Amino acid sequence: MGDLGRRARAAARLIALAPATKRDAALVAMAAALCANAAEILAANALDIADAKANGQNAAFIDRLLLDQARLDGVAEAVASVAALPDPVGRVLASWTQPNGLRFERVATPLGVIAVIFESRPNVTADAGALCLKSGNAAILRAGSDSFRTSSAIAAALRQGLEAAGLPADAIQLVPTRDRAAVGEILKGLDGHVDVVVPRGGKSLVARVQSDARVPVFAHLDGNCHVYVHASADLAMAREITLNAKLRRTGVCGAAETLLVDEACAATHLAPLVTALLDAGCAVRGDAATQELDARVTPATEQDWATEFLDRIIAVKLVAGLDAAIDHIERYGSHHTEAIVADDAAAARRFLAEVDSAIVLHNASTQFADGGEFGFGAEIGIATGRMHARGPVGVEQLCSFKYRVHGDGQIRS
Amino acid sequence: MGDLGRRARAAARLIALAPATKRDAALVAMAAALCANAAEILAANALDIADAKANGQNAAFIDRLLLDQARLDGVAEAVASVAALPDPVGRVLASWTQPNGLRFERVATPLGVIAVIFESRPNVTADAGALCLKSGNAAILRAGSDSFRTSSAIAAALRQGLEAAGLPADAIQLVPTRDRAAVGEILKGLDGHVDVVVPRGGKSLVARVQSDARVPVFAHLDGNCHVYVHASADLAMAREITLNAKLRRTGVCGAAETLLVDEACAATHLAPLVTALLDAGCAVRGDAATQELDARVTPATEQDWATEFLDRIIAVKLVAGLDAAIDHIERYGSHHTEAIVADDAAAARRFLAEVDSAIVLHNASTQFADGGEFGFGAEIGIATGRMHARGPVGVEQLCSFKYRVHGDGQIRS
């Protein structure tokens, strides 16, 4: 690891004080360098792909790892698009004046050094580097060993872009080794030179980071999201939202995993919802009432209520009203994203108030759990902690703040 | 410890959903119970005081521990005054509508369970309990063993107040043992039932908590605060601010510990500032230039620049301009509170932008580093972390947030 942390800290100070125009110019130059270095990047990727195949990785893994010209163009475009976001640094978040004339401002500042630990998707190198730079932070990127050559080639292009704009290349550093011990060192904070760790990858990676990190972590472990169909729900809306929440993309953290249907509308709503799911090719694991509806429904186990399937599988349960729905979510949920479908405004208000999740929706799909859909631009992930970043983590959430106080000689009595 | 954590979590959910009127009624009832239980509380305190004296504690320690009727009245008044603060829970921190019609709100929510670990001042029991309740959180309070009986009597009164208002007594729990192992259990998070730890006490307590806690900590280790007198500073203002920043109270974290004087105004400003400090009874540890001024100045060591004296001692140094001042603060400071005295607006702007501290002031005393002076009402402490709470931690900073999303059937394409 050498002096990676110390170099990141030194670069962070320069990046934090660089004007937005310079950071944006660097993002544009980084995008251009990704295009200019396409041959090197694709050649590195071909070597990573050959190794992955030789190691017997499956098709889904290979697909996540693969870059071609079109995908690389997309990566470059994503970096350039970050330049177009509003500058999150220096925003005055609040300001007020005290009776003694002191004027207070709460102002957004960069966090400092952000370490991003990811697995096989090489585009994360560019996305994470761009978001950290936009928010005035230095980035330490740890690529999965399978994408190491691709990520190294991408990081080299990003560093060219930084230098072309007159910013220190060390604002984006890729950990220069596949050695697994490096992750442990990062999680310990590199002697105080890492301010936050962002894991990007599967549950085992996130679990390890959450368990071992001695610095703050922006992440979620599970996205066990719920759709609750209240007695007052419009059936057509409930069907559309349920199908979309479960099936639009099953591998995203905002995908619904459990459908709760209120007993009070079971007679009218349960069968159409379950049939629609089954007909759309979704496996249904149901409670007793649900099993009676259709021979294709299999029994739900206790474990199913707590499972993030990330697949075409959903657990379905009848609940005895709003309180029972909230209790179920409280017991089995992961505080990520939950939706209520209801015409009854009071029921919706209670659900949004009482469900303790980062994102709660009324009459909308859980798949809106995404920084882009929130209007944040790109996101580095979704967090379910209660501190600092919660929900989608975009460039604003990659900032801290300070208080600026303006006086004209005030002393304290 | 038993099931302290589980009971706190259960109470936290009820407190979080209780309306502000009920939480405020409880605060008023808590204040009344403190007055009604005065005899028991003062009797308990007398026993703690007798033990402390028998153990040979010094006068300053005894004074921190001592309660009398007037001090207890003050404690009760402080609790009642928290009721009068605006409700921090449910504040809409931001709201916006996306082109698809989804309406987003970012809303303040309680953090959950807050553990406060403190030493001998028994009033912290009441202050911390009140601030946690106001912000909708459950509190686990760990008193120093010297104030255990006093804190137990105060906690009993607070719990009476909660019950009188129809809220669960377990929203405020005092750890019912002097056993030191309890602190270790709290720092590990009581099986996920502690969301944040707030240490209130000396440096060794804060250091232990920061080193051992596996949950977020709101604290500062050092308050090594600086006053920088720029070449453009008005001498009279510089003198007033320096004396106030150092000497108004020397034991608070916002007290100045180092005075940096710009070489460009040394001829006019250094001697008057140093003489004023010395004449006011402050020991001055100076660099070579400062030592030449007055025989009372002793040489500053390298260690002095990094020391939080918390006493009538100040380190004084000449610096070669704004950049040198910022570099000195960056090297030796603790990212707490720093002030510049300057008439030059551009210099002040740069100082406020480039000094990486929670609080930066222009032409005002560092002793304004206080939640009350910020207008936050009471504070539970001052934090120097970069996450979540930074600067004074009042009831707003004891909150997290969630996103409420209002739709009319939106699904994601």
Side-chain angles (χ1 to χ4, degrees):
Chain A
M1 302 288 287
D3 57 353
L4 204 72
R6 196 192 51 71
R7 283 160 58 193
R9 179 65 72 204
R13 189 155 167 79
L14 296 171
I15 294 291
L17 299 178
T21 48
K22 209 161 180 178
R23 283 179 276 122
D24 289 340
L27 287 163
V28 171
M30 283 155 58
L34 286 168
C35 295
N37 293 17
E40 292 86 340
I41 294 168
L42 295 178
N45 187 249
L47 294 173
D48 281 339
I49 290 285
D51 274 3
K53 285 180 176 167
N55 293 337
Q57 298 285 6
N58 65 28
F61 185 97
I62 300 285
D63 186 59
R64 280 200 296 276
L65 181 56
L66 183 73
L67 279 187
D68 54 24
Q69 186 64 51
R71 285 186 178 186
L72 184 57
D73 289 346
V75 170
E77 271 166 40
V79 169
S81 74
V82 171
L85 293 175
D87 183 19
V89 180
R91 282 169 301 136
V92 178
L93 306 170
S95 65
W96 66 98
T97 302
Q98 286 290 93
N100 61 4
L102 282 181
R103 186 162 59 85
F104 290 77
E105 294 176 301
R106 191 176 194 257
V107 187
T109 60
L111 277 170
V113 177
I114 298 174
V116 184
I117 302 177
F118 55 102
E119 296 182 326
S120 57
R121 287 183 198 276
N123 63 300
V124 176
T125 317
D127 291 350
L131 292 173
C132 290
L133 175 63
K134 180 75 188 188
S135 47
N137 297 291
I140 293 176
L141 308 174
R142 163 67 185 194
S145 62
D146 296 293
S147 61
F148 184 72
R149 279 174 290 212
T150 312
S151 293
S152 299
I154 289 174
L158 302 181
R159 290 165 61 92
Q160 281 177 25
L162 284 164
E163 290 188 323
L167 290 176
D170 282 345
I172 299 178
Q173 296 179 87
L174 189 79
V175 175
T177 165
R178 301 190 198 209
D179 182 359
R180 284 182 154 264
V183 172
E185 289 184 54
I186 290 169
L187 297 183
K188 277 187 235 144
L190 298 178
D191 292 325
H193 290 316
V194 174
D195 294 300
V196 58
V197 173
V198 181
R200 287 287 307 263
K203 188 166 169 174
S204 63
L205 171 67
V206 176
R208 187 209 163 170
V209 168
Q210 288 189 333
S211 139
D212 293 355
R214 299 312 307 262
V215 293
V217 177
F218 290 175
H220 68 276
L221 188 60
D222 272 316
N224 183 17
C225 305
H226 295 74
V227 173
Y228 166 52
V229 176
H230 183 257
S232 68
D234 175 82
L235 176 58
M237 187 190 288
R239 182 159 38 199
E240 262 208 294
I241 286 176
T242 302
L243 289 173
N244 185 263
K246 177 67 251 184
L247 296 170
R248 171 186 161 272
R249 284 178 62 191
T250 56
V252 297
C253 59
E257 306 294 4
T258 292
L259 169 67
L260 301 172
V261 179
D262 203 294
E263 280 178 5
C265 65
T268 50
H269 288 38
L270 185 62
L273 292 171
V274 169
T275 305
L277 285 161
L278 288 163
D279 291 352
C282 184
V284 173
R285 301 186 183 174
D287 63 359
T290 310
Q291 289 169 53
E292 278 171 24
L293 288 177
D294 194 304
R296 293 171 291 176
V297 176
T298 59
T301 64
E302 177 72 10
Q303 183 56 37
D304 285 329
W305 309 123
T307 298
E308 183 183 23
F309 299 111
L310 293 176
D311 203 349
R312 300 176 78 81
I313 305 170
I314 194 166
V316 179
K317 187 180 191 176
L318 283 190
V319 288
L322 181 60
D323 287 302
I326 294 170
D327 287 349
H328 179 98
I329 292 167
E330 195 61 22
R331 179 163 175 197
Y332 297 104
S334 55
H335 306 289
H336 191 294
T337 298
E338 335 293 342
I340 180 173
V341 186
D343 278 354
D344 180 338
R349 205 157 41 233
R350 270 199 61 207
F351 184 91
L352 297 196
E354 299 189 18
V355 170
D356 178 25
S357 295
I359 304 169
V360 283
L361 307 106
H362 174 212
N363 289 347
S365 168
T366 57
Q367 298 242 354
F368 286 110
D370 174 271
E373 295 295 325
F374 273 57
F376 293 175
E379 66 174 34
I380 205 162
I382 289 187
T384 51
R386 286 159 192 272
M387 304 291 133
H388 198 88
R390 195 178 193 210
V393 181
V395 291
E396 292 191 7
Q397 288 71 33
L398 294 178
C399 288
S400 179
F401 63 87
K402 69 159 92 165
Y403 293 100
R404 289 196 303 227
V405 187
H406 306 274
D408 47 16
Q410 282 84 349
I411 60 170
R412 192 165 167 200
S413 57
Chain B
M1 301 288 287
D3 57 353
L4 203 74
R6 195 192 51 72
R7 283 159 58 194
R9 177 66 71 205
R13 190 156 167 76
L14 297 171
I15 294 292
L17 299 178
T21 48
K22 210 162 179 175
R23 282 179 277 123
D24 289 340
L27 288 162
V28 171
M30 284 155 59
L34 286 168
C35 295
N37 293 17
E40 293 86 339
I41 295 168
L42 296 178
N45 187 249
L47 295 173
D48 281 340
I49 291 285
D51 274 4
K53 285 180 176 165
N55 293 336
Q57 297 286 6
N58 65 27
F61 186 96
I62 301 285
D63 186 60
R64 280 199 297 276
L65 182 56
L66 182 73
L67 278 187
D68 54 24
Q69 186 64 51
R71 284 187 179 185
L72 184 57
D73 289 346
V75 171
E77 270 166 41
V79 169
S81 74
V82 171
L85 294 175
D87 184 19
V89 179
R91 283 171 300 137
V92 177
L93 305 170
S95 66
W96 67 97
T97 302
Q98 286 290 93
N100 62 2
L102 282 181
R103 187 162 59 84
F104 290 77
E105 293 176 301
R106 192 175 193 257
V107 187
T109 60
L111 277 170
V113 177
I114 298 175
V116 184
I117 302 177
F118 54 102
E119 297 181 325
S120 56
R121 287 183 198 277
N123 64 303
V124 176
T125 316
D127 291 350
L131 292 173
C132 289
L133 176 63
K134 180 76 188 188
S135 47
N137 298 290
I140 293 176
L141 307 175
R142 161 68 186 196
S145 61
D146 297 294
S147 61
F148 183 72
R149 278 175 291 214
T150 313
S151 293
S152 299
I154 290 174
L158 302 180
R159 289 166 62 91
Q160 281 176 22
L162 284 163
E163 289 188 325
L167 291 176
D170 282 345
I172 299 177
Q173 295 179 89
L174 188 79
V175 176
T177 167
R178 301 188 197 209
D179 182 359
R180 285 183 153 263
V183 173
E185 289 184 54
I186 291 169
L187 297 182
K188 277 187 235 142
L190 298 178
D191 292 326
H193 291 315
V194 173
D195 295 301
V196 58
V197 174
V198 182
R200 287 287 306 265
K203 189 165 170 174
S204 64
L205 172 68
V206 176
R208 187 207 163 171
V209 168
Q210 288 189 332
S211 139
D212 292 355
R214 300 311 306 263
V215 294
V217 177
F218 290 174
H220 68 275
L221 188 61
D222 273 316
N224 183 16
C225 305
H226 295 74
V227 173
Y228 165 53
V229 176
H230 182 256
S232 68
D234 174 83
L235 175 58
M237 187 190 291
R239 182 158 39 197
E240 261 208 296
I241 287 177
T242 301
L243 289 173
N244 185 263
K246 177 67 252 183
L247 295 171
R248 172 186 161 271
R249 284 180 60 192
T250 56
V252 297
C253 60
E257 306 294 2
T258 292
L259 169 66
L260 302 172
V261 179
D262 205 294
E263 280 179 6
C265 64
T268 50
H269 288 36
L270 185 61
L273 292 171
V274 169
T275 304
L277 285 161
L278 289 163
D279 291 351
C282 184
V284 173
R285 302 187 183 174
D287 62 358
T290 310
Q291 290 169 54
E292 279 171 24
L293 288 178
D294 195 303
R296 294 172 290 177
V297 176
T298 59
T301 65
E302 177 72 9
Q303 183 56 38
D304 286 329
W305 309 124
T307 298
E308 183 184 20
F309 299 110
L310 293 175
D311 204 347
R312 300 177 79 81
I313 305 170
I314 195 166
V316 179
K317 187 181 191 178
L318 283 190
V319 289
L322 181 59
D323 286 302
I326 294 171
D327 287 349
H328 180 97
I329 292 168
E330 194 61 23
R331 180 164 175 194
Y332 296 104
S334 55
H335 305 290
H336 191 295
T337 299
E338 335 292 342
I340 180 174
V341 186
D343 278 353
D344 179 338
R349 204 158 41 235
R350 271 198 61 207
F351 185 89
L352 296 195
E354 298 189 17
V355 170
D356 178 25
S357 295
I359 304 169
V360 283
L361 307 106
H362 174 212
N363 288 348
S365 168
T366 56
Q367 298 243 354
F368 286 109
D370 173 273
E373 295 295 326
F374 273 57
F376 291 176
E379 68 174 33
I380 204 161
I382 291 187
T384 51
R386 287 159 190 273
M387 303 293 133
H388 198 87
R390 195 178 195 212
V393 181
V395 291
E396 292 191 8
Q397 288 72 33
L398 294 178
C399 287
S400 178
F401 63 87
K402 69 160 86 165
Y403 293 101
R404 289 196 303 228
V405 187
H406 306 273
D408 48 15
Q410 282 84 349
I411 59 170
R412 191 163 167 202
S413 56

